C-alpha cells in the first residue's frame, strides 16, 4: 500500500504506561521499527516528547482510551500532527495481543493512512465543553436534592406539594426557609411568605404545613437545603464562566437560538460539543452519524436493523430536549413535522427524527452564517 507518512508513531496508552512504536525509513526501502515504554507522569511525557523529536516523527496516532489520552494529547498537540482514533475502528485481528503489538498495529495503520481522525475541538471549546457538562451534572444534583426534600416533607405529612405546584418557587422557598429556621410555620408566617396568586390558597397552605416533623427529619431537610444553596451558587458561577467562554462565538450562539426549541443552554451545548467550524465534518450526514442520530445499517441472515448508532450522548440529549420543546409549540413547520412523524411511528422516533433535523439545520446555519428561516434551504443541507 502507498505510504502516507514515512515517519510516524503509534501509541498504546494506559493509566500507568504508554507503549510507543516508531516507524522510520531505513536502508533499501526497509522500515525501521523501534518500540519503547514510558510512564504517564508529566516528566515521562516530556521525555517521550524529546524522544519523538529526536526520531524526527511527524505524525502520531493513539486510541481514545477513557481520559488517559487527554494529558498525552495536551503535551504533544503543538509539536506533532496527533490523531486520536476510535478504538473500535482500529481493532487488530484476533490472536496474540500485547501492548507492543497494539502500538505497532496503530503505527502501521497510520503509516498507510487507514486511521480515521476523531473530532477534537480547539482548547477553548474543550474548556467550554467541560463547563457545560459540569453544569448538567450540577442541575441533576440540584433536582435530586429538591426531590429528596419533598420526600422528607411527605414523610412528615407536610402536604405543601399538593397545594403549591412549585414547592421551590418564591412562596415555597419562603415557607421552607421559615420551616428550617423556626421548626414550624404558623398563620403569620404564611401571611408573610405567600405571594401573588397563591394568596387565595392561604388557608389550604396553612393546613398543609401542619405536619409531624421530627428532629431527625428536620436535620435531613436542613442538610439538603444547605446543599441546594451551594449548588445554586455553583451554578451561578458556572453560568458566568460559560458566558465568558461564549463571547468569541456570540454570533453563532445567537444564530442557533433562532431555531425553534433551541434555548440558550442548548445553543451553548451545541457550540461546546460540535464547535463552530463545520469544515471538520464533510457533510451533515457525517455530523449526524457522529452525534448518534443516524440510522444504523446492520444486516444478518436477511434481517435488517436500523437502530440509531451510538454517538456523542451530550449532543444527542440536548437535541432531544429541543425536539420535545418543539413538540409543545404551534404554528411552525418543525412542530408540524414532529406530529406527522409521531402519528405514524410514535413520539420517541419522532423525537430522534426531529433532533436530527435540528442538527442538520444547525450545520447549515453555522456553515453559511445564516439565521433560521422557516421553510428555508437549510433543511435540505448536506
Amino acid at each position: 500500500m502507498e505510504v502516507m507518512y514515512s515517519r510516524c508513531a503509534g501509541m498504546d496508552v494506559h493509566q500507568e504506561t504508554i507503549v510507543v512504536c516508531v516507524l522510520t525509513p531505513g536502508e533499501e526501502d526497509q522500515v525501521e521499527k523501534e518500540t519503547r515504554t514510558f510512564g504517564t507522569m508529566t516528566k515521562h511525557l516530556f521525555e517521550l516528547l524529546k524522544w519523538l523529536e529526536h526520531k524526527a516523527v511527524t505524525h502520531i496516532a493513539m486510541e481514545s482510551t477513557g481520559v488517559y489520552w487527554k494529558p498525552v494529547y495536551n503535551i504533544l498537540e503543538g509539536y506533532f500532527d496527533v490523531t486520536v482514533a476510535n478504538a473500535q475502528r482500529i481493532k487488530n485481528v484476533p490472536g496474540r495481543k500485547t501492548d507492543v503489538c497494539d502500538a505497532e498495529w496503530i503505527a502501521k495503520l497510520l503509516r498507510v493512512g487507514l486511521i480515521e481522525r476523531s473530532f477534537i475541538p480547539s482548547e477553548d471549546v474543550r474548556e467550554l465543553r467541560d463547563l457545560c457538562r459540569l453544569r448538567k451534572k450540577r442541575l441533576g444534583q440540584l433536582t435530586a436534592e429538591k426531590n429528596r426534600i419533598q420526600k422528607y416533607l411527605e414523610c412528615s405529612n407536610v402536604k405543601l406539594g399538593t397545594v403549591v405546584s412549585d414547592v421551590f418557587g418564591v412562596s415555597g422557598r419562603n415557607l421552607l426557609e421559615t420551616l428550617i429556621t423556626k421548626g414550624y410555620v404558623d398563620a403569620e408566617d404564611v401571611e408573610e411568605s405567600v405571594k401573588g396568586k397563591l394568596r387565595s390558597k392561604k388557608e389550604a397552605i396553612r393546613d398543609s404545613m401542619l405536619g409531624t416533623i421530627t428532629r431527625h427529619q428536620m436535620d435531613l431537610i436542613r442538610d439538603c437545603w444547605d446543599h441546594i444553596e451551594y449548588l445554586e451558587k455553583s451554578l451561578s458561577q458556572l453560568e458566568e464562566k460559560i458566558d465568558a467562554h461564549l463571547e468569541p462565538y456570540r454570533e453563532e450562539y445567537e444564530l442557533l437560538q433562532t431555531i425553534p426549541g433551541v434555548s440558550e443552554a442548548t445553543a451553548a451545548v451545541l457550540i461546546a460539543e460540535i464547535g463552530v467550524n463545520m469544515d471538520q465534518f464533510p457533510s451533515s450526514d457525517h455530523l449526524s452519524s457522529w452525534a448518534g442520530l443516524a440510522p444504523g445499517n446492520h444486516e444478518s441472515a436477511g434481517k435488517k436493523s436500523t437502530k440509531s448508532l451510538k454517538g456523542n450522548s451530550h449532543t444527542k440529549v440536548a437535541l432531544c430536549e429541543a425536539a420535545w420543546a418543539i413538540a409543545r409549540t404551534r404554528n411552525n413547520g418543525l412542530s408540524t413535522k414532529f406530529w406527522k412523524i409521531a402519528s405514524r411511528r410514535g413520539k420517541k422516533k419522532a423525537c430522534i427524527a426531529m433532533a436530527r433535523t435540528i442538527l442538520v439545520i444547525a450545520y447549515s446555519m453555522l456553515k453559511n452564517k445564516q439565521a433560521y428561516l422557516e421553510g428555508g434551504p437549510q433543511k435540505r443541507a448536506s
Side-chain angles (χ1 to χ4, degrees), residues 259 274 278 283-288 293 319 337 353-368 377-382:
I259 305 175
I274 69 176
M278 293 298 101
S283 69
S284 59
D285 290 337
H286 285 79
L287 177 57
S288 299
L293 292 171
L319 290 170
K337 180 178 179 180
M354 187 52 55
R356 178 190 170 97
T357 299
I358 297 171
L359 187 59
V360 171
I361 293 172
Y363 175 87
S364 178
M365 290 171 59
L366 292 174
K367 195 175 185 67
N368 302 318
Q378 65 266 34
K379 290 185 177 180
R380 300 185 294 275
S382 62

PDB file of all heavy atoms in Angstrom, residues 259 274 278 283-288 293 319 337 353-368 377-382:
ATOM      1  N   ILE A 259     -33.442  28.944  15.940  1.00  0.00           N
ATOM      2  CA  ILE A 259     -34.133  27.684  15.630  1.00  0.00           C
ATOM      3  C   ILE A 259     -35.199  27.446  16.694  1.00  0.00           C
ATOM      4  O   ILE A 259     -34.919  27.525  17.893  1.00  0.00           O
ATOM      5  CB  ILE A 259     -33.147  26.504  15.618  1.00  0.00           C
ATOM      6  CG1 ILE A 259     -31.987  26.765  14.664  1.00  0.00           C
ATOM      7  CG2 ILE A 259     -33.861  25.210  15.234  1.00  0.00           C
ATOM      8  CD1 ILE A 259     -30.915  25.692  14.709  1.00  0.00           C
ATOM      9  N   ILE A 274     -19.906  20.468  19.227  1.00  0.00           N
ATOM     10  CA  ILE A 274     -19.564  20.331  17.805  1.00  0.00           C
ATOM     11  C   ILE A 274     -18.703  21.481  17.304  1.00  0.00           C
ATOM     12  O   ILE A 274     -18.219  21.439  16.171  1.00  0.00           O
ATOM     13  CB  ILE A 274     -20.835  20.217  16.928  1.00  0.00           C
ATOM     14  CG1 ILE A 274     -21.599  21.537  16.889  1.00  0.00           C
ATOM     15  CG2 ILE A 274     -21.730  19.087  17.417  1.00  0.00           C
ATOM     16  CD1 ILE A 274     -22.807  21.507  15.954  1.00  0.00           C
ATOM     17  N   MET A 278     -17.626  24.056  10.763  1.00  0.00           N
ATOM     18  CA  MET A 278     -18.235  22.864  10.211  1.00  0.00           C
ATOM     19  C   MET A 278     -17.408  22.213   9.101  1.00  0.00           C
ATOM     20  O   MET A 278     -17.787  21.175   8.561  1.00  0.00           O
ATOM     21  CB  MET A 278     -19.635  23.194   9.667  1.00  0.00           C
ATOM     22  CG  MET A 278     -20.629  23.572  10.755  1.00  0.00           C
ATOM     23  SD  MET A 278     -20.951  22.248  11.946  1.00  0.00           S
ATOM     24  CE  MET A 278     -19.932  22.755  13.345  1.00  0.00           C
ATOM     25  N   SER A 283     -20.036  16.527   5.758  1.00  0.00           N
ATOM     26  CA  SER A 283     -21.434  16.809   5.434  1.00  0.00           C
ATOM     27  C   SER A 283     -22.266  16.706   6.702  1.00  0.00           C
ATOM     28  O   SER A 283     -21.791  16.257   7.754  1.00  0.00           O
ATOM     29  CB  SER A 283     -21.960  15.822   4.385  1.00  0.00           C
ATOM     30  OG  SER A 283     -22.060  14.522   4.949  1.00  0.00           O
ATOM     31  N   SER A 284     -23.527  17.102   6.593  1.00  0.00           N
ATOM     32  CA  SER A 284     -24.428  16.994   7.743  1.00  0.00           C
ATOM     33  C   SER A 284     -24.699  15.535   8.099  1.00  0.00           C
ATOM     34  O   SER A 284     -24.985  15.218   9.263  1.00  0.00           O
ATOM     35  CB  SER A 284     -25.748  17.712   7.442  1.00  0.00           C
ATOM     36  OG  SER A 284     -26.359  17.154   6.301  1.00  0.00           O
ATOM     37  N   ASP A 285     -24.601  14.638   7.120  1.00  0.00           N
ATOM     38  CA  ASP A 285     -24.779  13.209   7.404  1.00  0.00           C
ATOM     39  C   ASP A 285     -23.652  12.694   8.300  1.00  0.00           C
ATOM     40  O   ASP A 285     -23.897  11.882   9.208  1.00  0.00           O
ATOM     41  CB  ASP A 285     -24.807  12.413   6.101  1.00  0.00           C
ATOM     42  CG  ASP A 285     -26.067  12.670   5.291  1.00  0.00           C
ATOM     43  OD1 ASP A 285     -27.079  13.087   5.900  1.00  0.00           O
ATOM     44  OD2 ASP A 285     -26.050  12.482   4.071  1.00  0.00           O
ATOM     45  N   HIS A 286     -22.418  13.151   8.036  1.00  0.00           N
ATOM     46  CA  HIS A 286     -21.304  12.752   8.887  1.00  0.00           C
ATOM     47  C   HIS A 286     -21.505  13.262  10.317  1.00  0.00           C
ATOM     48  O   HIS A 286     -21.246  12.541  11.288  1.00  0.00           O
ATOM     49  CB  HIS A 286     -19.990  13.300   8.324  1.00  0.00           C
ATOM     50  CG  HIS A 286     -19.490  12.574   7.119  1.00  0.00           C
ATOM     51  ND1 HIS A 286     -20.015  12.791   5.869  1.00  0.00           N
ATOM     52  CD2 HIS A 286     -18.532  11.633   6.969  1.00  0.00           C
ATOM     53  CE1 HIS A 286     -19.393  12.015   4.997  1.00  0.00           C
ATOM     54  NE2 HIS A 286     -18.490  11.300   5.635  1.00  0.00           N
ATOM     55  N   LEU A 287     -21.974  14.499  10.439  1.00  0.00           N
ATOM     56  CA  LEU A 287     -22.217  15.075  11.767  1.00  0.00           C
ATOM     57  C   LEU A 287     -23.327  14.312  12.487  1.00  0.00           C
ATOM     58  O   LEU A 287     -23.222  14.038  13.691  1.00  0.00           O
ATOM     59  CB  LEU A 287     -22.582  16.547  11.629  1.00  0.00           C
ATOM     60  CG  LEU A 287     -22.947  17.285  12.923  1.00  0.00           C
ATOM     61  CD1 LEU A 287     -21.822  17.200  13.940  1.00  0.00           C
ATOM     62  CD2 LEU A 287     -23.286  18.743  12.633  1.00  0.00           C
ATOM     63  N   SER A 288     -24.381  13.958  11.764  1.00  0.00           N
ATOM     64  CA  SER A 288     -25.486  13.208  12.368  1.00  0.00           C
ATOM     65  C   SER A 288     -25.018  11.840  12.863  1.00  0.00           C
ATOM     66  O   SER A 288     -25.412  11.377  13.936  1.00  0.00           O
ATOM     67  CB  SER A 288     -26.622  13.040  11.353  1.00  0.00           C
ATOM     68  OG  SER A 288     -27.118  14.287  10.943  1.00  0.00           O
ATOM     69  N   LEU A 293     -27.271  10.150  15.673  1.00  0.00           N
ATOM     70  CA  LEU A 293     -28.632  10.430  15.211  1.00  0.00           C
ATOM     71  C   LEU A 293     -28.873   9.909  13.804  1.00  0.00           C
ATOM     72  O   LEU A 293     -29.836  10.300  13.157  1.00  0.00           O
ATOM     73  CB  LEU A 293     -28.899  11.942  15.256  1.00  0.00           C
ATOM     74  CG  LEU A 293     -28.954  12.541  16.661  1.00  0.00           C
ATOM     75  CD1 LEU A 293     -28.998  14.051  16.596  1.00  0.00           C
ATOM     76  CD2 LEU A 293     -30.162  12.016  17.425  1.00  0.00           C
ATOM     77  N   LEU A 319     -30.235  17.839  21.907  1.00  0.00           N
ATOM     78  CA  LEU A 319     -31.094  17.971  20.729  1.00  0.00           C
ATOM     79  C   LEU A 319     -32.464  17.324  20.968  1.00  0.00           C
ATOM     80  O   LEU A 319     -33.478  17.820  20.468  1.00  0.00           O
ATOM     81  CB  LEU A 319     -30.417  17.338  19.512  1.00  0.00           C
ATOM     82  CG  LEU A 319     -29.202  18.103  18.982  1.00  0.00           C
ATOM     83  CD1 LEU A 319     -28.461  17.275  17.934  1.00  0.00           C
ATOM     84  CD2 LEU A 319     -29.628  19.437  18.375  1.00  0.00           C
ATOM     85  N   LYS A 337     -44.018  18.789  11.442  1.00  0.00           N
ATOM     86  CA  LYS A 337     -43.271  17.595  11.040  1.00  0.00           C
ATOM     87  C   LYS A 337     -43.186  16.593  12.188  1.00  0.00           C
ATOM     88  O   LYS A 337     -43.329  15.372  11.981  1.00  0.00           O
ATOM     89  CB  LYS A 337     -41.874  18.000  10.581  1.00  0.00           C
ATOM     90  CG  LYS A 337     -41.011  16.821  10.147  1.00  0.00           C
ATOM     91  CD  LYS A 337     -39.649  17.289   9.661  1.00  0.00           C
ATOM     92  CE  LYS A 337     -38.799  16.083   9.249  1.00  0.00           C
ATOM     93  NZ  LYS A 337     -37.455  16.504   8.758  1.00  0.00           N
ATOM     94  N   ALA A 353     -35.983  11.797  15.067  1.00  0.00           N
ATOM     95  CA  ALA A 353     -36.014  12.389  13.731  1.00  0.00           C
ATOM     96  C   ALA A 353     -35.929  13.909  13.798  1.00  0.00           C
ATOM     97  O   ALA A 353     -35.219  14.550  13.009  1.00  0.00           O
ATOM     98  CB  ALA A 353     -37.284  11.964  12.999  1.00  0.00           C
ATOM     99  N   MET A 354     -36.629  14.507  14.765  1.00  0.00           N
ATOM    100  CA  MET A 354     -36.603  15.955  14.901  1.00  0.00           C
ATOM    101  C   MET A 354     -35.237  16.434  15.405  1.00  0.00           C
ATOM    102  O   MET A 354     -34.749  17.494  14.995  1.00  0.00           O
ATOM    103  CB  MET A 354     -37.707  16.397  15.858  1.00  0.00           C
ATOM    104  CG  MET A 354     -37.881  17.902  15.948  1.00  0.00           C
ATOM    105  SD  MET A 354     -38.083  18.686  14.333  1.00  0.00           S
ATOM    106  CE  MET A 354     -39.474  17.759  13.682  1.00  0.00           C
ATOM    107  N   ALA A 355     -34.610  15.654  16.290  1.00  0.00           N
ATOM    108  CA  ALA A 355     -33.275  16.011  16.773  1.00  0.00           C
ATOM    109  C   ALA A 355     -32.287  16.038  15.617  1.00  0.00           C
ATOM    110  O   ALA A 355     -31.451  16.944  15.509  1.00  0.00           O
ATOM    111  CB  ALA A 355     -32.822  15.013  17.843  1.00  0.00           C
ATOM    112  N   ARG A 356     -32.388  15.066  14.720  1.00  0.00           N
ATOM    113  CA  ARG A 356     -31.513  15.050  13.534  1.00  0.00           C
ATOM    114  C   ARG A 356     -31.799  16.257  12.647  1.00  0.00           C
ATOM    115  O   ARG A 356     -30.876  16.896  12.123  1.00  0.00           O
ATOM    116  CB  ARG A 356     -31.716  13.757  12.757  1.00  0.00           C
ATOM    117  CG  ARG A 356     -30.875  13.694  11.475  1.00  0.00           C
ATOM    118  CD  ARG A 356     -31.274  12.516  10.606  1.00  0.00           C
ATOM    119  NE  ARG A 356     -30.643  12.602   9.299  1.00  0.00           N
ATOM    120  CZ  ARG A 356     -29.526  11.972   8.949  1.00  0.00           C
ATOM    121  NH1 ARG A 356     -28.895  11.232   9.827  1.00  0.00           N
ATOM    122  NH2 ARG A 356     -29.039  12.093   7.734  1.00  0.00           N
ATOM    123  N   THR A 357     -33.073  16.590  12.477  1.00  0.00           N
ATOM    124  CA  THR A 357     -33.432  17.747  11.650  1.00  0.00           C
ATOM    125  C   THR A 357     -32.825  19.033  12.211  1.00  0.00           C
ATOM    126  O   THR A 357     -32.286  19.860  11.470  1.00  0.00           O
ATOM    127  CB  THR A 357     -34.962  17.881  11.574  1.00  0.00           C
ATOM    128  OG1 THR A 357     -35.512  16.704  10.972  1.00  0.00           O
ATOM    129  CG2 THR A 357     -35.359  19.086  10.733  1.00  0.00           C
ATOM    130  N   ILE A 358     -32.906  19.190  13.530  1.00  0.00           N
ATOM    131  CA  ILE A 358     -32.336  20.384  14.164  1.00  0.00           C
ATOM    132  C   ILE A 358     -30.831  20.429  13.928  1.00  0.00           C
ATOM    133  O   ILE A 358     -30.257  21.498  13.638  1.00  0.00           O
ATOM    134  CB  ILE A 358     -32.642  20.396  15.670  1.00  0.00           C
ATOM    135  CG1 ILE A 358     -34.151  20.484  15.907  1.00  0.00           C
ATOM    136  CG2 ILE A 358     -31.938  21.558  16.364  1.00  0.00           C
ATOM    137  CD1 ILE A 358     -34.543  20.292  17.362  1.00  0.00           C
ATOM    138  N   LEU A 359     -30.158  19.273  14.037  1.00  0.00           N
ATOM    139  CA  LEU A 359     -28.712  19.229  13.848  1.00  0.00           C
ATOM    140  C   LEU A 359     -28.337  19.572  12.408  1.00  0.00           C
ATOM    141  O   LEU A 359     -27.350  20.288  12.171  1.00  0.00           O
ATOM    142  CB  LEU A 359     -28.187  17.842  14.222  1.00  0.00           C
ATOM    143  CG  LEU A 359     -26.663  17.676  14.248  1.00  0.00           C
ATOM    144  CD1 LEU A 359     -26.042  18.652  15.237  1.00  0.00           C
ATOM    145  CD2 LEU A 359     -26.282  16.251  14.596  1.00  0.00           C
ATOM    146  N   VAL A 360     -29.105  19.079  11.451  1.00  0.00           N
ATOM    147  CA  VAL A 360     -28.840  19.393  10.041  1.00  0.00           C
ATOM    148  C   VAL A 360     -29.018  20.890   9.786  1.00  0.00           C
ATOM    149  O   VAL A 360     -28.217  21.526   9.082  1.00  0.00           O
ATOM    150  CB  VAL A 360     -29.769  18.572   9.121  1.00  0.00           C
ATOM    151  CG1 VAL A 360     -29.671  19.048   7.672  1.00  0.00           C
ATOM    152  CG2 VAL A 360     -29.423  17.093   9.206  1.00  0.00           C
ATOM    153  N   ILE A 361     -30.061  21.459  10.373  1.00  0.00           N
ATOM    154  CA  ILE A 361     -30.291  22.908  10.234  1.00  0.00           C
ATOM    155  C   ILE A 361     -29.146  23.687  10.874  1.00  0.00           C
ATOM    156  O   ILE A 361     -28.630  24.649  10.288  1.00  0.00           O
ATOM    157  CB  ILE A 361     -31.642  23.294  10.875  1.00  0.00           C
ATOM    158  CG1 ILE A 361     -32.797  22.682  10.089  1.00  0.00           C
ATOM    159  CG2 ILE A 361     -31.795  24.807  10.932  1.00  0.00           C
ATOM    160  CD1 ILE A 361     -34.150  22.851  10.749  1.00  0.00           C
ATOM    161  N   ALA A 362     -28.730  23.262  12.071  1.00  0.00           N
ATOM    162  CA  ALA A 362     -27.629  23.951  12.759  1.00  0.00           C
ATOM    163  C   ALA A 362     -26.344  23.853  11.946  1.00  0.00           C
ATOM    164  O   ALA A 362     -25.569  24.825  11.875  1.00  0.00           O
ATOM    165  CB  ALA A 362     -27.431  23.346  14.148  1.00  0.00           C
ATOM    166  N   TYR A 363     -26.099  22.706  11.332  1.00  0.00           N
ATOM    167  CA  TYR A 363     -24.902  22.526  10.493  1.00  0.00           C
ATOM    168  C   TYR A 363     -24.880  23.544   9.360  1.00  0.00           C
ATOM    169  O   TYR A 363     -23.873  24.222   9.122  1.00  0.00           O
ATOM    170  CB  TYR A 363     -24.886  21.104   9.935  1.00  0.00           C
ATOM    171  CG  TYR A 363     -23.768  20.829   8.955  1.00  0.00           C
ATOM    172  CD1 TYR A 363     -22.520  20.410   9.407  1.00  0.00           C
ATOM    173  CD2 TYR A 363     -23.950  20.988   7.585  1.00  0.00           C
ATOM    174  CE1 TYR A 363     -21.485  20.150   8.519  1.00  0.00           C
ATOM    175  CE2 TYR A 363     -22.927  20.738   6.691  1.00  0.00           C
ATOM    176  CZ  TYR A 363     -21.704  20.319   7.154  1.00  0.00           C
ATOM    177  OH  TYR A 363     -20.674  20.072   6.264  1.00  0.00           O
ATOM    178  N   SER A 364     -26.000  23.689   8.673  1.00  0.00           N
ATOM    179  CA  SER A 364     -26.071  24.634   7.557  1.00  0.00           C
ATOM    180  C   SER A 364     -25.946  26.072   8.032  1.00  0.00           C
ATOM    181  O   SER A 364     -25.267  26.890   7.404  1.00  0.00           O
ATOM    182  CB  SER A 364     -27.392  24.436   6.811  1.00  0.00           C
ATOM    183  OG  SER A 364     -27.517  25.359   5.750  1.00  0.00           O
ATOM    184  N   MET A 365     -26.587  26.381   9.154  1.00  0.00           N
ATOM    185  CA  MET A 365     -26.538  27.749   9.673  1.00  0.00           C
ATOM    186  C   MET A 365     -25.124  28.143  10.080  1.00  0.00           C
ATOM    187  O   MET A 365     -24.659  29.253   9.804  1.00  0.00           O
ATOM    188  CB  MET A 365     -27.490  27.880  10.860  1.00  0.00           C
ATOM    189  CG  MET A 365     -28.953  27.812  10.475  1.00  0.00           C
ATOM    190  SD  MET A 365     -30.035  27.699  11.915  1.00  0.00           S
ATOM    191  CE  MET A 365     -29.610  29.186  12.794  1.00  0.00           C
ATOM    192  N   LEU A 366     -24.407  27.220  10.747  1.00  0.00           N
ATOM    193  CA  LEU A 366     -23.044  27.520  11.168  1.00  0.00           C
ATOM    194  C   LEU A 366     -22.087  27.578   9.975  1.00  0.00           C
ATOM    195  O   LEU A 366     -21.123  28.341   9.983  1.00  0.00           O
ATOM    196  CB  LEU A 366     -22.566  26.462  12.167  1.00  0.00           C
ATOM    197  CG  LEU A 366     -23.265  26.465  13.528  1.00  0.00           C
ATOM    198  CD1 LEU A 366     -22.802  25.277  14.366  1.00  0.00           C
ATOM    199  CD2 LEU A 366     -23.000  27.763  14.285  1.00  0.00           C
ATOM    200  N   LYS A 367     -22.369  26.773   8.973  1.00  0.00           N
ATOM    201  CA  LYS A 367     -21.501  26.749   7.793  1.00  0.00           C
ATOM    202  C   LYS A 367     -21.676  28.001   6.943  1.00  0.00           C
ATOM    203  O   LYS A 367     -20.707  28.558   6.406  1.00  0.00           O
ATOM    204  CB  LYS A 367     -21.806  25.502   6.956  1.00  0.00           C
ATOM    205  CG  LYS A 367     -20.745  25.164   5.918  1.00  0.00           C
ATOM    206  CD  LYS A 367     -21.082  23.863   5.231  1.00  0.00           C
ATOM    207  CE  LYS A 367     -19.965  23.448   4.276  1.00  0.00           C
ATOM    208  NZ  LYS A 367     -18.708  23.099   4.961  1.00  0.00           N
ATOM    209  N   ASN A 368     -22.925  28.473   6.830  1.00  0.00           N
ATOM    210  CA  ASN A 368     -23.220  29.618   5.972  1.00  0.00           C
ATOM    211  C   ASN A 368     -23.416  30.923   6.732  1.00  0.00           C
ATOM    212  O   ASN A 368     -23.625  31.977   6.111  1.00  0.00           O
ATOM    213  CB  ASN A 368     -24.475  29.327   5.140  1.00  0.00           C
ATOM    214  CG  ASN A 368     -24.328  28.085   4.285  1.00  0.00           C
ATOM    215  OD1 ASN A 368     -23.284  27.866   3.690  1.00  0.00           O
ATOM    216  ND2 ASN A 368     -25.368  27.256   4.240  1.00  0.00           N
ATOM    217  N   PRO A 377     -33.738  26.873   2.889  1.00  0.00           N
ATOM    218  CA  PRO A 377     -32.953  25.837   2.263  1.00  0.00           C
ATOM    219  C   PRO A 377     -32.089  25.037   3.237  1.00  0.00           C
ATOM    220  O   PRO A 377     -31.609  23.976   2.881  1.00  0.00           O
ATOM    221  CB  PRO A 377     -32.054  26.622   1.282  1.00  0.00           C
ATOM    222  CG  PRO A 377     -31.955  27.987   1.896  1.00  0.00           C
ATOM    223  CD  PRO A 377     -33.301  28.219   2.547  1.00  0.00           C
ATOM    224  N   GLN A 378     -31.886  25.557   4.482  1.00  0.00           N
ATOM    225  CA  GLN A 378     -31.012  24.863   5.400  1.00  0.00           C
ATOM    226  C   GLN A 378     -31.535  23.492   5.786  1.00  0.00           C
ATOM    227  O   GLN A 378     -30.800  22.626   6.221  1.00  0.00           O
ATOM    228  CB  GLN A 378     -30.741  25.689   6.664  1.00  0.00           C
ATOM    229  CG  GLN A 378     -31.948  25.940   7.545  1.00  0.00           C
ATOM    230  CD  GLN A 378     -32.619  27.270   7.222  1.00  0.00           C
ATOM    231  OE1 GLN A 378     -32.634  27.676   6.078  1.00  0.00           O
ATOM    232  NE2 GLN A 378     -33.149  27.920   8.215  1.00  0.00           N
ATOM    233  N   LYS A 379     -32.849  23.265   5.619  1.00  0.00           N
ATOM    234  CA  LYS A 379     -33.405  21.956   5.967  1.00  0.00           C
ATOM    235  C   LYS A 379     -32.893  20.864   5.032  1.00  0.00           C
ATOM    236  O   LYS A 379     -32.845  19.703   5.365  1.00  0.00           O
ATOM    237  CB  LYS A 379     -34.938  21.996   5.895  1.00  0.00           C
ATOM    238  CG  LYS A 379     -35.582  22.818   7.005  1.00  0.00           C
ATOM    239  CD  LYS A 379     -37.080  22.700   6.922  1.00  0.00           C
ATOM    240  CE  LYS A 379     -37.762  23.464   8.068  1.00  0.00           C
ATOM    241  NZ  LYS A 379     -39.196  23.353   8.005  1.00  0.00           N
ATOM    242  N   ARG A 380     -32.538  21.262   3.822  1.00  0.00           N
ATOM    243  CA  ARG A 380     -32.111  20.257   2.847  1.00  0.00           C
ATOM    244  C   ARG A 380     -30.595  20.232   2.710  1.00  0.00           C
ATOM    245  O   ARG A 380     -30.070  19.632   1.788  1.00  0.00           O
ATOM    246  CB  ARG A 380     -32.740  20.592   1.486  1.00  0.00           C
ATOM    247  CG  ARG A 380     -34.265  20.605   1.522  1.00  0.00           C
ATOM    248  CD  ARG A 380     -34.845  20.819   0.135  1.00  0.00           C
ATOM    249  NE  ARG A 380     -34.520  22.145  -0.388  1.00  0.00           N
ATOM    250  CZ  ARG A 380     -35.228  23.239  -0.132  1.00  0.00           C
ATOM    251  NH1 ARG A 380     -36.270  23.175   0.684  1.00  0.00           N
ATOM    252  NH2 ARG A 380     -34.893  24.401  -0.651  1.00  0.00           N
ATOM    253  N   ALA A 381     -29.882  20.889   3.642  1.00  0.00           N
ATOM    254  CA  ALA A 381     -28.421  20.978   3.525  1.00  0.00           C
ATOM    255  C   ALA A 381     -27.793  19.615   3.759  1.00  0.00           C
ATOM    256  O   ALA A 381     -28.311  18.761   4.456  1.00  0.00           O
ATOM    257  CB  ALA A 381     -27.865  21.972   4.541  1.00  0.00           C
ATOM    258  N   SER A 382     -26.632  19.434   3.172  1.00  0.00           N
ATOM    259  CA  SER A 382     -25.907  18.172   3.353  1.00  0.00           C
ATOM    260  C   SER A 382     -24.428  18.450   3.262  1.00  0.00           C
ATOM    261  O   SER A 382     -24.011  19.520   2.858  1.00  0.00           O
ATOM    262  CB  SER A 382     -26.325  17.141   2.316  1.00  0.00           C
ATOM    263  OG  SER A 382     -26.027  17.590   1.013  1.00  0.00           O
TER     264      SER A 382
END
